[in-house]
């Protein structure tokens, strides 16, 4: 049976191998659907305190949050993504690490952005990742989670490595168990030209 550490190493290695390809098609905010930007913009403008971009990739959303006036840091499993983020956005606080052991102290953040960051996480590990997000959020802090909307926990062949569908309904009890209360959800189909054809889902949850 694969351990969490082995699963994380495999995900990091898969992204390291294809980091340049990923950056070429989805390395800037402008390459993504404007509705993604609008969702993240509304969330960050309604969220106060320091933010964490969990699964920051090449740093596009980290920079976006920084430019919106937030104190923000990023973390990603992929060494290649972290190097790319530091090159593209010098001065931003971006580190390599796991969602299961975040470096931030408990209750120190106003918000966590996890935009498609848990899609490769084995479903059995998702509760632990959500609990870690909850740990670093202050009471009232807000999580914005993006995911592929579909049959919960069903695996599919993602371009990088195996990924999993989720739904807001399936995530809600897991969030509640971590001390997070869902405030709002969204789903939508894709439009021609997006980096993915699979349905989009997102939710906002508040630390109680």
């Amino acid at each position: 049976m694969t351990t969490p550490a082995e699963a994380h190493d495999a995900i990091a290695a898969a992204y390291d191998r294809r980091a340049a390809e990923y950056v070429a098609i989805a390395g800037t905010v402008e390459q993504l659907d404007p509705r993604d930007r609008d969702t993240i913009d509304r969330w960050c403008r309604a969220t106060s305190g320091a933010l964490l971009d969990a699964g920051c990739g090449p740093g596009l959303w980290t920079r976006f949050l920084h430019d919106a006036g937030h104190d923000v840091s990023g973390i990603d499993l992929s060494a290649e993504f972290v190097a790319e983020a530091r090159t593209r956005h010098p001065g931003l606080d971006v580190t390599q690490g796991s969602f299961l052991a975040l470096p931030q102290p408990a209750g120190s953040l106003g918000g966590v952005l996890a935009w498609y960051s848990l899609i490769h996480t084995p479903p059995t590990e998702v509760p632990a990742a959500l609990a870690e997000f909850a740990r670093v959020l202050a009471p009232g802090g807000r999580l914005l989670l993006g995911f592929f909307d579909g049959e919960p926990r069903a695996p599919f062949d993602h371009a990088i490595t195996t990924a999993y569908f989720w739904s807001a309904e399936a995530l809600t009890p897991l969030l509640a168990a971590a001390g997070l209360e869902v405030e709002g959800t969204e789903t939508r189909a894709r439009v021609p030209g997006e980096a993915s054809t699979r349905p989009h889902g997102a939710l906002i949850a508040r630390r109680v």
Side-chain angles (χ1 to χ4, degrees):
M1 183 175 179
T2 302
T3 68
E6 290 170 338
H8 292 178
D9 287 347
I11 294 167
Y15 272 96
D16 284 345
R17 286 192 297 270
R18 303 188 68 175
E21 178 184 347
Y22 180 99
V23 168
I25 64 171
T28 68
V29 171
E30 291 72 24
Q31 289 172 291
L32 303 179
D33 191 294
R35 293 173 294 181
D36 288 354
R37 181 186 63 238
D38 292 344
T39 294
I40 293 172
D41 183 59
R42 288 193 300 271
W43 170 79
C44 79
R45 293 186 184 282
T47 303
S48 59
L51 305 181
L52 173 66
D53 183 6
C56 65
L60 63 164
W61 294 119
T62 320
R63 168 57 65 183
F64 180 84
L65 296 172
H66 174 273
D67 290 349
H70 286 277
D71 174 12
V72 58
S73 57
I75 189 168
D76 201 277
L77 282 173
S78 167
E80 290 295 325
F81 271 164
V82 169
E84 184 72 19
R86 289 172 175 169
T87 298
R88 286 176 166 237
H89 310 292
L92 291 186
D93 177 13
V94 179
T95 59
Q96 185 181 8
S98 167
F99 302 151
L100 300 184
L102 296 172
Q104 286 79 12
S108 62
L109 299 179
V112 174
L113 174 65
W115 198 246
Y116 286 82
S117 304
L118 296 179
I119 61 171
H120 303 294
T121 301
T124 55
E125 290 182 36
V126 168
L130 296 177
E132 185 66 353
F133 292 157
R135 181 189 68 80
V136 299
L137 283 170
R142 304 167 81 233
L143 167 69
L144 173 54
L145 179 67
F147 54 91
F148 290 113
D149 188 57
E151 181 64 29
R153 302 174 179 83
F156 63 88
D157 292 330
H158 185 274
I160 304 297
T161 188
T162 301
Y164 302 87
F165 288 111
W166 280 97
S167 69
E169 292 77 11
L171 287 164
T172 295
L174 303 183
L175 290 158
L180 295 159
E181 182 177 75
V182 174
E183 291 188 321
T185 68
E186 69 175 29
T187 58
R188 57 174 163 80
R190 301 292 183 172
V191 298
E194 283 198 75
S196 175
T197 60
R198 298 179 179 91
H200 159 82
L203 59 82
I204 294 173
R206 181 182 296 274
R207 183 75 167 96
V208 295

